[in-house]
């Protein structure tokens, strides 16, 4: 069995997406997963089941090695430096400015714990507005209380 890295897998997927003119929305619809999860898996931060991985490859005209790479459990790590991409930086800034606020409000409503990023969904929507369209990001994670022992 030939194995490729998640980086090469992602490069092949991005190239095929561009060549075929397929959007993340269309790809996710074709395979029956959400656009956020589909994109995340194709960028190497999540894995897919065999059927979904092969559906991605069938849709994009990619070979078996890409489907196999999509099924590998990822190492979820990223560069610890402040992001340079403006959109990613702004999300980093939101957490920097509102992270403690979110933590306080979650603790007040739920108690001592965290929001899961495993039992989790996220949606990105567009809200049209005459003063400029708005980005709506909805995150929905299970509350995980800390235990005392």
């Amino acid at each position: 069995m030939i194995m490729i890295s998640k980086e090469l897998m992602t490069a092949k997927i991005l190239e095929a997406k561009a060549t075929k003119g397929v959007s993340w929305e269309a790809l996710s619809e074709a395979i029956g997963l959400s656009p956020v999860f589909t994109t995340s898996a194709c960028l190497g931060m999540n894995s897919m089941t065999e059927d979904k991985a092969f559906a991605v490859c069938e849709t994009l005209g990619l070979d078996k090695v890409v489907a196999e790479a999509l099924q590998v459990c990822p190492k979820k790590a990223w560069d610890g430096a402040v992001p340079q991409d403006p959109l990613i930086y702004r999300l980093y800034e939101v957490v920097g400015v509102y992270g403690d606020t979110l933590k306080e409000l979650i603790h007040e409503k739920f108690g001592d714990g965290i929001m899961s990023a495993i039992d989790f969904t996220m949606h990105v929507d567009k809200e049209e507005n005459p003063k400029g369209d708005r980005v709506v990001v909805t995150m929905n994670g299970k509350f995980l209380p800390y235990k005392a022992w």
Side-chain angles (χ1 to χ4, degrees), residues 3-107:
M3 195 57 122
I4 62 171
S5 69
K6 289 282 189 179
E7 292 80 12
L8 182 54
M9 171 202 79
T10 295
K12 287 177 175 278
I13 290 170
L14 292 175
E15 180 180 13
K17 242 182 97 293
T19 300
K20 293 192 173 281
V22 176
S23 68
W24 290 117
E25 223 31 78
L27 180 60
S28 66
E29 190 174 303
I31 69 168
L33 290 173
S34 79
V36 172
F37 186 84
T38 300
T39 305
S40 178
C42 289
L43 295 178
M45 291 302 276
N46 278 299
S47 62
M48 291 185 169
T49 58
E50 182 179 20
D51 62 320
K52 299 300 184 183
F54 277 98
V56 166
C57 292
E58 183 178 322
T59 303
L60 296 177
L62 294 167
D63 55 20
K64 181 179 176 180
V65 295
V66 174
E68 290 169 348
L70 277 164
Q71 296 172 66
V72 173
C73 295
K75 179 179 179 189
K76 296 187 182 194
W78 52 90
D79 184 354
V82 175
Q84 299 300 305
D85 178 275
L87 185 119
I88 297 170
Y89 174 78
R90 289 294 178 235
L91 293 172
Y92 186 83
E93 181 181 36
V94 166
V95 173
V97 173
Y98 294 103
D100 288 339
T101 299
L102 288 168
K103 181 178 172 55
E104 286 292 321
L105 292 171
I106 288 169
H107 286 178

